Amino acid sequence: MFAYLQKCEPPSNDKRWKIIAATMRKLGNERQALIEALHSYQQAFGYLDKPGLTYIAASLKIPLSQVYGAATFYNHFTMKPQGEHACVVCTGTACYIKGAADLLKSIFNAEGVKPGETTPDGRLSILTARCFGACGLAPVVVVDGDVVGRITTDVLEQRLRKVLGHAG
Amino acid sequence: MLAEELKNIAVHEREAKAAVGACVNVCGAAGCQSLQSDALAKALVEAAAAQGYGPESCVVRKVGCLGLCGAGPLVSVEPAGIIYQRVQPSDAPDIVNALQGPPVKRINLDSKLPFFARQQRIVLENSGRIDPERLEDYIAADGYLALTTVLSEMTPSDVIAEIEKSGLRGRGGAGYPTGLKWGTVAKAIGSPKMVVCNADEGDPGAFMDRAVLESDPHRVLEGMAIAAYAVGASEGYIYVRAEYPLAVARLKTAIRLAERQELLGNGICGTQFNFRIAIRLGAGAFVCGEETALMASIEGKRGTPRPRPPYPAESGLWGHPTLINNVETFANIAPIIRRGGAWFAGIGTERSKGTKVFALAGRITNTGLIEVPMGITLRDIVFEIGGGVPEGRHLKAVQTGGPSGGCIPESFLDTPVDYETLTKLGSIMGSGGMIVMDETSSMVDVARYFMEFCMTESCGKCIPCRAGTAQMYNLLGRFVDRTATRADLAQLEQLCDLVRNTSLCGLGQSAPNPVSSTLRYFRPEYEATFATEGGE
Amino acid sequence: MPARVVTLQIDGRDVTARDDQMLIEVARESDIRIPKLCYVSGLSSYGGCRMCLVEVEGTSKLLAACTTAVTEGMQVRTVTPRLTEYRRMILEMLFAERNHVCSVCVSNGHCDMQWLAQHLGIDHIRFPYVYPNLPVDASHDRFVLDQNRCILCTRCVRVCQEIEGAHTWDVMGRGAQSLVITDLAQPWGESESCTSCGKCVQVCPTGALSEKGRSVAEMSKRREFLPYLTMMRGETGNE
C-alpha cells in the first residue's frame, strides 16, 4: 500500500536531483526539510510535478497528501511549467497606490496574458507578488530577476519587448 | 572569541578607518541595488583609481540602507558627512574629484534635512554606516560587545530584568512586553528551548525588517544569542521571506562569519554557552507571520494557525518552549544591554518606549525608511520627515498596520504615535508600514484592496475568516460598482463584527480593520455609492 | 502531572471535571450540548468551525469549547443571543459557500449541518450563494466524494491519520479554494495509501463523503466506534 516509500529514487537521471537530495540530507531527511526541499526543487526545475513530489515524500517519509497539501498551500510554489521569461508585478500596497493595476492592464493589452498565465508560445509568464519590500521605488516589477523600480507602462512595454527579442 | 580579542579588532578597525582619507559609501540594500548601485560602486572604484587615490586615501564600500530609498541610488561620503542622491555611474568622477573640496552640487542632498535630522536611530544606528558583509565593521561599531558582556557579567535573570526595565514591547505589531515574554520562556519546563526570529514581513508596504537584515544582519544574530542565553535556549531559527533573496544571502554570510569567530555555535566566547541559528525560508503565505502558523511552516507543514493556549512559550516548535520575536525587537536588544534599560526607557512615551522604524511609501515626497522616537505625531512623520504629499495634492489618510490596520484621516494627524493611541483610532502600530494616500485614492477601493488580500491569504481553516472575507469582498465590490444598498452597508458592518470576534487567529480577527476604519472616518464615501438616493 | 479535579459553572449549573478535559466534553457529560461541526469525540480538536464558541466570565474573547481546557471557578455561558446570532451567521455563510441543497442530498435527514441549522432556527440564507462548480469523485469502488458538500471540517483527514494511520486525506490549496484530497490529489480510486476502511465516510458530518449506491436521504452514518477505538488503544480519550 505504501509502495512509493520503497522506491526512494529520483524520477530521472537529471543531475539536478542531486541538489534536492543534498538539501534533504542536510536537514536529516526529516519531515521538517519539506519546505526547504520544495524550494530547492522549484529553484532547480522551475516548477513542481507529481513524480518529483512523490520522490520527496518517499525520501522524507511524509504522506503524499501532506506533501501535496503543503506544496499547494504556499503561493511561492507552482505546479505549472513557467515561460522562458518571467515578469513579476508587485501588487503590494505602495505599488497598488501607485498604479500596479495599470501595469497589469498594459501587459494584458500588449501580450494578452493575465497574472498566473504564460503566453501560448511559452515565452513569457506573468506573475504577481505580494510585496518585494522595495516600496520606496513603487511601482516595482521584476523582469527575469532584475528589479525595476519607478516603472511606467511605456518602460515596461519596452522592457518586455527587449526581453522577448521583438523588433522595435 | 574572547572579549579581549573583540576589543582589539574594534580598536584596529577604527584606527584603520581613521587612517583612510575618505570613505565613499554606496547603498547596497535591495532598493538601491535595483537601481544598479553595483555598477555605481564599480564606477566609483575606477574613478578613484583613475584620479590617483590608493586604498590608504579613499575606500569605496557597499553599505546598508541609507534610508531615503525614493531618492536612490544613494551615496554618502565620510568623514565629510555628504550625501548624494540619484547618483549615476557617470557621476562617479565628479564625486571623487570633489573629495577634497565642496560637494557636487547637482546631486548633493542636504544632510540637515528634517528627513535625517528628525530621526533617532537605535535599530538603524549602523544602517548605511557599515558593510553588512564584514563582521569587523560590526565589531568596530561595538558589535557583539553586548553579547560578551552578558556572557561574562550577567546571569540570565539579570538580562531579563534589564529588558523588562527598558519597557521594550514586541515590534511585530501586537506590542506584547518583551521582558515578560522572555521571563515566561525562561521559566517554562522542557528542553531544548528554541528562539525564533520572525522575519516573514508579509505586510504589503512594509520593508523595515528587510532593511535591517540587509544592512546590519549581525545585530539580529546578537539579539537572538542574548535572548537564547536569557531563556536557556540552544537552537535558533530565522524564518525569512523567500522574496528577500539579498537579506537571506547576507544572513547566511553573517552566520558563517559569526560561527567562525565563535560568536555563534558551540562554546560561544569561550564559555559553555551553545547556540546555533538556522535559516528557514518562507514560501509566500501572509498567515505565516502568525506565530503558530510560522512554527507549523518551520516544521514543514501547511502554515495554518492553531488555537492558543498552549502558547509557544510553553509548547512551541516540536512541542518545545519557544521564544518568538520579530526582527526589529531582536535588533533593539544589543543597544539596551550596552546602554542600559533605563536609557531606553527614557525614550518614547509612558507606555511605548524606545523608537520605531517605519517604512514610508505611497503618495509621499520622501519615500524610505525612518526611525523615530515613540510619541512623535503622524503629522511630523508625514510632513516634516516625509516632506508632505507631492504634486500639490492633499493628504487624505495614512494607512498603518497593513491589512490588519486601518486608515487614519487627516484630522487625527496630531495624535502621538504609540501602541495604545493607534489602536484607539481603529488602526494598529503593526510592524511599521505607513502608506500615505491623497485625494485620488478612493477609500472604498482601498478597503476592497485589503479585503482581497485577506481573502486570498486566509488559510481556510476557520469558517468566519474563509467565508467571511469572501462575502465582505463581494459586498465591497457592490460599492465599487455603485450597485450597493443601505442593507448591504448594514450587512458589511455585521460581517466586520462577526469576523473580528469569531475568527481563530489574528489574521481573521484583524481582517475587518481596513473596512471598519474607513467606515468610521469616510462613511459618506460608502453612502455616495448607493445605487439609489438613500440606498433603499 | 496528574489531573486535578475542578469545579466550574456551565449555564448556571455546577459541574466537576478533570482539569485536562476540554469544555465541550465536560458540558456533554452534563447533557449540555454545545453546537459543533468540526469537533467529533475521539479525534483531536481542530477549532475550525467556531460553532462551539462560548462566553467565559472574565475574558472578552469568545473561546472555542473544543480547545479550551476547564479551569477552577470558570463560569461559562453556552447560549446567549450574541452567540446564537454568530452561530447562525457562520452556518449561513457555510450554506452559501458551496452547494448544500438538502432535498437532493444523500445525507438529507442525517446531516450534522442540517440538524444544526434546524436547531438554530435558520429558515433562509441572508448571503448570496457562491455556488462554485466543484468536482465529484466517484472513482472509488465503494465510496463517493462530493466536494460541493464539503465544509472543510477535516474530520476525514484526522480520522484517517489518527485512527486508521493511513493519512490518505489532507487539504490542498488555501482559503475558499481549499479542497480535501487523497494522496497527490489523484482520483480516490487510484490512491495508493487508502485502505478502503470507510472511517472517513462515517465521520463526515455532511453528504460530502458517502457510500456508493445510496440514494437521497439514505446515507446515515455510524460514529459510535470512534470513542471506543480511542479508549481501547489506552490513549487518554475524551470520554
Side-chain angles (χ1 to χ4, degrees):
Chain A
M1 122 196 183
F2 293 108
Y4 76 92
L5 281 177
Q6 273 118 53
K7 50 169 194 253
C8 197
E9 297 280 314
S12 70
N13 292 329
D14 197 312
K15 286 212 173 75
R16 288 175 286 183
W17 287 111
K18 292 211 164 106
I19 309 170
I20 297 149
T23 304
M24 295 193 284
R25 203 169 43 243
K26 221 166 76 189
L27 295 174
N29 281 328
E30 281 177 33
R31 174 173 301 253
Q32 55 145 321
L34 177 58
I35 311 289
E36 294 291 315
L38 294 178
H39 270 297
S40 126
Y41 180 11
Q42 175 150 317
Q43 204 171 15
F45 287 88
Y47 70 104
L48 315 176
D49 68 8
K50 290 186 179 183
L53 293 179
T54 307
Y55 165 60
I56 289 176
S59 307
L60 304 178
K61 300 184 181 50
I62 307 178
L64 291 171
S65 58
Q66 206 177 8
V67 170
Y68 200 84
T72 53
F73 180 85
Y74 298 97
N75 271 352
H76 186 79
F77 302 126
T78 174
M79 309 282 287
K80 281 189 261 178
Q82 295 300 294
E84 274 170 65
H85 301 281
C87 170
V88 192
V89 179
C90 179
T91 58
T93 319
C95 295
Y96 162 77
I97 294 284
K98 291 209 165 173
D102 295 335
L103 295 175
L104 287 171
K105 222 178 283 168
S106 90
I107 296 174
F108 182 73
N109 290 339
E111 308 292 337
V113 274
K114 287 189 202 144
E117 293 179 352
T118 302
T119 50
D121 60 4
R123 302 238 25 228
L124 177 70
S125 293
I126 303 298
L127 303 159
T128 56
R130 274 309 179 195
C131 186
F132 288 111
C135 316
L137 304 174
V140 174
V141 172
V142 178
V143 183
D144 285 344
D146 288 341
V147 183
V148 192
R150 297 192 209 117
I151 198 166
T152 60
T153 50
D154 292 344
V155 173
L156 177 59
E157 275 172 36
Q158 266 175 28
R159 182 94 186 202
L160 289 181
R161 272 203 299 270
K162 200 174 126 201
V163 165
L164 295 173
H166 292 181
Chain B
M1 189 181 302
L2 303 173
E4 199 62 21
E5 298 171 66
L6 205 65
K7 209 168 139 194
N8 289 341
I9 294 179
V11 170
H12 177 256
E13 275 295 312
R14 281 183 213 136
E15 277 170 1
K17 203 178 156 196
V20 175
C23 197
V24 181
N25 300 323
V26 183
C27 176
C32 288
Q33 204 173 57
S34 75
L35 297 170
Q36 269 66 54
S37 68
D38 278 348
L40 174 60
K42 211 170 135 227
L44 282 163
V45 171
E46 283 164 8
Q51 296 186 29
Y53 283 98
E56 70 299 329
S57 50
C58 174
V59 174
V60 177
R61 300 189 306 167
K62 263 175 44 185
V63 296
C65 185
L66 283 155
L68 193 52
C69 310
L74 295 166
V75 169
S76 77
V77 180
E78 287 178 306
I82 298 163
I83 300 177
Y84 292 116
Q85 59 173 335
R86 296 179 196 264
V87 186
Q88 299 302 316
S90 56
D91 295 322
D94 288 348
I95 291 175
V96 175
N97 197 23
L99 286 177
Q100 313 280 353
V104 187
K105 251 204 173 124
R106 65 171 190 281
I107 47 173
N108 188 17
L109 190 63
D110 184 1
S111 57
K112 292 191 185 61
L113 280 177
F115 181 87
F116 298 105
R118 287 292 305 269
Q119 293 195 44
Q120 182 171 1
R121 294 184 149 212
I122 297 173
V123 169
L124 300 177
E125 62 185 344
N126 293 337
S127 180
R129 299 220 164 89
I130 65 166
D131 180 345
E133 296 184 2
R134 283 192 76 229
L135 175 61
E136 295 80 1
D137 267 32
Y138 181 63
I139 292 174
D142 288 337
Y144 289 108
L145 189 64
L147 180 62
T148 51
T149 309
V150 160
L151 292 180
S152 57
E153 293 166 24
M154 295 169 84
T155 65
S157 52
D158 288 345
V159 178
I160 294 174
E162 204 60 37
I163 300 298
E164 266 175 8
K165 202 203 278 176
S166 75
L168 176 67
R169 294 168 66 175
R171 296 294 193 243
Y176 190 80
T178 307
L180 205 58
K181 204 181 217 180
W182 288 24
T184 313
V185 181
K187 279 189 220 104
I189 300 160
S191 99
K193 291 179 183 174
M194 310 279 174
V195 170
V196 176
C197 173
N198 183 349
D200 189 49
E201 187 170 52
D203 293 19
F207 51 93
M208 301 75 52
D209 296 349
R210 176 183 65 70
V212 172
L213 295 174
E214 285 174 1
S215 308
D216 200 3
H218 285 287
R219 161 178 303 263
V220 179
L221 304 183
E222 187 179 5
M224 286 178 74
I226 293 170
Y229 174 75
V231 304
S234 54
E235 281 179 47
Y237 290 92
I238 303 178
Y239 186 83
V240 56
R241 300 182 77 198
E243 289 90 334
Y244 290 173
L246 186 62
V248 174
R250 293 209 170 138
L251 272 174
K252 280 186 178 159
T253 307
I255 291 173
R256 200 183 65 234
L257 295 177
E259 278 177 352
R260 195 180 295 163
Q261 300 295 340
E262 288 172 7
L263 293 162
L264 282 179
N266 289 337
I268 295 176
C269 302
T271 66
Q272 300 290 310
F273 174 55
N274 305 331
F275 182 59
R276 301 195 159 275
I277 297 180
I279 296 174
R280 287 290 179 276
L281 291 187
F286 177 64
V287 68
C288 288
E290 199 277 345
E291 53 187 21
T292 59
L294 186 152
M295 293 188 307
S297 187
I298 291 183
E299 291 173 9
K301 300 179 194 152
R302 289 166 60 83
T304 54
R306 60 156 176 80
R308 298 173 301 179
Y311 286 92
E314 304 149 17
S315 174
L317 266 182
W318 298 289
H320 301 299
T322 303
L323 171 74
I324 303 191
N325 278 135
N326 121 306
V327 171
E328 195 182 331
T329 312
F330 282 125
N332 269 303
I333 301 303
I336 289 175
I337 298 295
R338 278 201 319 262
R339 304 171 75 167
W343 159 79
F344 193 83
I347 305 165
T349 67
E350 176 79 43
R351 297 183 61 189
S352 302
K353 302 299 187 191
T355 58
K356 179 78 194 82
V357 181
F358 287 103
L360 290 181
R363 301 280 183 192
I364 188 162
T365 308
N366 301 330
T367 54
L369 201 69
I370 59 162
E371 182 172 357
V372 288
M374 294 276 192
I376 190 173
T377 64
L378 283 170
R379 188 177 301 281
D380 280 353
I381 293 179
V382 174
F383 287 98
E384 282 276 308
I385 299 175
V389 181
E391 297 167 30
R393 295 222 173 91
H394 296 283
L395 181 125
K396 185 169 183 180
V398 177
Q399 211 281 344
T400 68
S404 311
C407 294
I408 299 167
E410 209 270 335
S411 51
F412 286 94
L413 279 196
D414 291 311
T415 313
V417 169
D418 71 19
Y419 290 97
E420 277 70 28
T421 52
L422 288 178
T423 307
K424 232 181 270 166
L425 289 177
S427 186
I428 58 165
M429 173 77 79
S431 56
M434 202 176 263
I435 312 277
V436 176
M437 299 171 194
D438 64 20
E439 71 267 25
T440 59
S441 296
S442 147
M443 289 296 124
V444 180
D445 270 350
V446 168
R448 190 172 72 148
Y449 166 81
F450 282 116
M451 193 50 68
E452 185 194 10
F453 181 90
C454 291
M455 175 178 75
T456 50
E457 293 298 329
S458 167
C459 76
K461 178 170 179 175
C462 80
I463 305 167
C465 176
R466 181 181 80 221
T469 53
Q471 290 288 352
M472 285 205 271
Y473 173 73
N474 289 342
L475 266 177
L476 287 163
R478 304 183 56 144
F479 288 90
V480 172
D481 300 340
R482 300 185 162 264
T483 56
T485 63
R486 194 164 286 281
D488 291 332
L489 191 59
Q491 190 167 82
L492 188 61
E493 292 191 294
Q494 270 186 330
L495 280 168
C496 283
D497 176 66
L498 174 83
V499 175
R500 173 173 302 122
N501 289 305
T502 62
S503 291
L504 171 62
C505 82
L507 189 155
Q509 288 160 10
S510 61
N513 283 352
V515 179
S516 39
S517 75
T518 48
L519 270 172
R520 180 166 159 189
Y521 299 117
F522 302 96
R523 199 181 183 88
E525 276 194 44
Y526 283 84
E527 289 171 337
T529 65
F530 286 154
T532 58
E533 186 115 0
E536 300 313 323
Chain C
M1 264 190 301
R4 289 181 314 155
V5 173
V6 295
T7 54
L8 62 151
Q9 242 183 20
I10 307 179
D11 291 339
R13 282 165 57 185
D14 289 319
V15 174
T16 41
R18 291 196 322 266
D19 69 352
D20 60 351
Q21 283 183 290
M22 292 298 146
L23 205 42
I24 199 166
E25 285 296 328
V26 174
R28 209 188 52 167
E29 285 168 8
S30 304
D31 230 16
I32 297 168
R33 302 277 166 148
I34 302 174
K36 61 186 168 62
L37 276 177
C38 65
Y39 178 81
V40 61
S41 183
L43 295 184
S44 65
S45 292
Y46 184 61
C49 76
R50 317 309 281 167
M51 279 294 140
C52 69
L53 287 179
V54 294
E55 293 179 11
V56 175
E57 197 66 41
T59 161
S60 57
K61 279 201 167 166
L62 302 176
L63 300 176
C66 67
T67 55
T68 304
V70 293
T71 55
E72 178 64 37
M74 202 178 212
Q75 290 191 35
V76 184
R77 280 183 303 275
T78 71
V79 186
T80 67
R82 180 180 177 223
L83 288 174
T84 304
E85 179 56 19
Y86 283 159
R87 285 171 188 154
R88 268 196 202 133
M89 280 174 81
I90 293 171
L91 202 54
E92 285 179 39
M93 287 198 301
L94 210 47
F95 272 98
E97 190 179 38
R98 291 189 182 178
N99 191 332
H100 296 283
V101 181
C102 301
S103 58
V104 295
C105 177
V106 284
S107 284
N108 189 5
H110 313 287
C111 169
D112 289 12
M113 187 171 158
Q114 185 185 32
W115 180 86
L116 209 51
Q118 283 163 357
H119 173 79
L120 291 168
I122 292 176
D123 50 16
H124 75 288
I125 309 298
R126 73 192 88 170
F127 304 106
Y129 285 85
V130 181
Y131 283 143
N133 190 7
L134 299 175
V136 175
D137 180 352
S139 60
H140 194 280
D141 298 343
R142 291 164 49 207
F143 311 121
V144 182
L145 160 65
D146 184 351
Q147 299 277 12
N148 296 288
R149 308 240 189 259
C150 174
I151 60 168
L152 297 169
C153 68
T154 72
R155 285 189 193 182
C156 53
V157 179
R158 286 174 284 150
V159 80
C160 188
Q161 181 197 349
E162 296 167 17
I163 307 293
E164 179 62 8
H167 207 130
T168 301
W169 292 101
D170 211 311
V171 180
M172 71 165 278
R174 70 153 92 126
Q177 267 67 52
S178 304
L179 291 175
V180 291
I181 51 163
T182 50
D183 289 357
L184 293 175
Q186 64 225 52
W188 190 359
E190 294 168 21
S191 160
E192 242 184 87
S193 62
C194 177
T195 62
S196 301
C197 73
K199 292 189 186 72
C200 50
V201 177
Q202 302 305 332
V203 296
C204 175
T206 70
L209 292 174
S210 61
E211 288 165 3
K212 266 195 176 162
R214 302 275 179 162
S215 178
V216 171
E218 286 183 354
M219 185 65 225
S220 63
K221 299 190 173 175
R222 303 180 306 275
R223 308 203 171 113
E224 315 76 57
F225 70 93
L226 253 182
Y228 293 105
L229 261 182
T230 324
M231 232 185 336
M232 280 187 288
R233 289 180 170 198
E235 289 156 25
T236 45
N238 292 317
E239 288 298 291

